[in-house]
């Protein structure tokens, strides 16, 4: 559950499910809890001074009135869609996931994955302002510490490609997982091309 303090700043309509990164300041001190696309339960606590409201059902509203009273209201999906069509359009887009594979022992994409890269970029641009997480992986050939470095280099290589395409580097995170999370479990020192990969989540 998130806690949102309105003592110093107002927050406009936003999805308060996983994080508040999509929120923008607004003149109207109003928070609406929208449903998560996965139907997972969500909640947010809204505070103003000593006042506090818990929003734990979709389309509940916390509004700070002109007299500085924090009041609870409700709205509807239709009303939100009419007032905030661009927000609803963005919310409706489910996260996109991609897997790109690498050549042995390097951070160079295979030709097949290189051909997939333009599609990844197109999907990411459709979610302008969203977060991109790139997780690099290796197979189990070679020392574990070397694979840790290689997996991070693979993730960083994809991040660099995205930044070159104009994506905000602050919104692209590169993480290396080494050989810890194989797509295809194998014994040590077994070569498995499907494990030489980067998983990309665009949301």
């Amino acid at each position: 559950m998130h806690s949102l303090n309105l003592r110093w700043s107002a927050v406009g309509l936003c999805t308060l499910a996983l994080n508040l990164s999509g929120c923008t300041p607004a003149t109207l001190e109003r928070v609406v809890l929208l449903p998560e696309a996965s139907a997972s339960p969500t909640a947010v606590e809204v505070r103003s001074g000593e006042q506090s409201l818990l929003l734990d059902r979709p389309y509940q509203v916390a509004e700070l009135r002109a007299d500085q009273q924090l009041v609870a209201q409700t709205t509807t999906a239709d009303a939100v869609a009419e007032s905030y069509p661009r927000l609803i359009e963005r919310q409706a887009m489910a996260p996109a996931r991609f897997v790109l594979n690498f050549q042995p022992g390097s951070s160079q994409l295979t030709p097949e994955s290189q051909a997939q890269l333009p599609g990844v970029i197109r999907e990411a641009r459709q979610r302008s302002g969203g977060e991109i997480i790139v997780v690099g992986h290796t197979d189990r050939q070679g020392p574990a510490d070397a694979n840790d470095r290689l997996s991070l280099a693979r993730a960083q290589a994809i991040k660099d490609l995205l930044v070159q395409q104009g994506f905000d580097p602050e919104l692209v995170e590169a993480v290396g997982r080494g050989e810890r999370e194989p797509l295809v479990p194998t014994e040590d020192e077994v070569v498995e091309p499907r494990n030489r990969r980067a998983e990309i989540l665009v949301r």
Side-chain angles (χ1 to χ4, degrees):
M1 182 182 73
H2 295 282
S3 180
L4 180 64
N5 197 322
L6 292 182
R7 182 177 300 168
W8 297 285
S9 64
V11 176
L13 179 71
C14 54
T15 303
L16 296 166
L18 299 177
N19 59 62
L20 296 175
S21 60
C23 298
T24 57
T27 302
L28 177 65
E29 288 104 340
R30 190 172 192 237
V31 173
V32 179
L33 184 65
L34 300 182
E36 217 359 36
S38 64
S40 302
T42 63
V44 63
E45 182 181 17
V46 181
R47 297 176 181 171
S48 177
E50 299 301 317
Q51 304 173 84
S52 175
L53 282 177
L54 176 65
L55 308 182
D56 59 3
R57 294 192 305 277
Y59 303 109
Q60 286 184 312
V61 180
E63 186 166 302
L64 188 63
R65 301 188 313 196
D67 61 3
Q68 298 304 299
Q69 290 299 305
L70 190 62
V71 297
Q73 301 181 11
T74 58
T75 186
T76 65
D78 289 342
V80 171
E82 182 177 351
S83 298
Y84 305 93
R86 292 185 63 186
L87 178 65
I88 297 303
E89 179 182 347
R90 178 178 172 184
Q91 184 201 24
M93 298 184 71
R97 296 177 183 271
F98 304 91
V99 177
L100 299 177
N101 295 105
F102 293 86
Q103 298 182 32
S106 80
S107 57
Q108 296 293 317
L109 291 171
T110 64
E112 295 81 7
S113 289
Q114 186 70 44
Q116 293 176 0
L117 194 58
V120 174
I121 293 169
R122 281 195 301 273
E123 287 287 338
R125 284 183 171 148
Q126 289 180 17
R127 295 160 174 79
S128 178
E131 181 183 31
I132 303 174
I133 301 174
V134 186
V135 183
H137 300 271
T138 70
D139 61 18
R140 299 195 64 193
Q141 185 179 34
D145 58 346
N147 283 336
D148 283 345
R149 294 191 294 272
L150 178 57
S151 67
L152 181 57
R154 286 171 171 170
Q156 188 63 49
I158 299 301
K159 175 177 179 175
D160 291 345
L161 288 169
L162 293 171
V163 171
Q164 290 169 16
Q165 292 294 320
F167 291 92
D168 184 349
E170 295 296 322
L171 296 177
V172 185
E173 181 180 3
V175 180
R177 296 296 298 151
E179 60 185 53
R180 297 174 186 82
E181 298 172 1
L183 186 65
V184 180
T186 69
E187 298 297 325
D188 197 24
E189 296 301 327
V190 172
V191 175
E192 175 47 70
R194 289 170 291 182
N195 289 337
R196 300 193 300 259
R197 71 198 194 280
E199 297 179 350
I200 304 169
L201 174 64
V202 184
R203 60 188 184 189

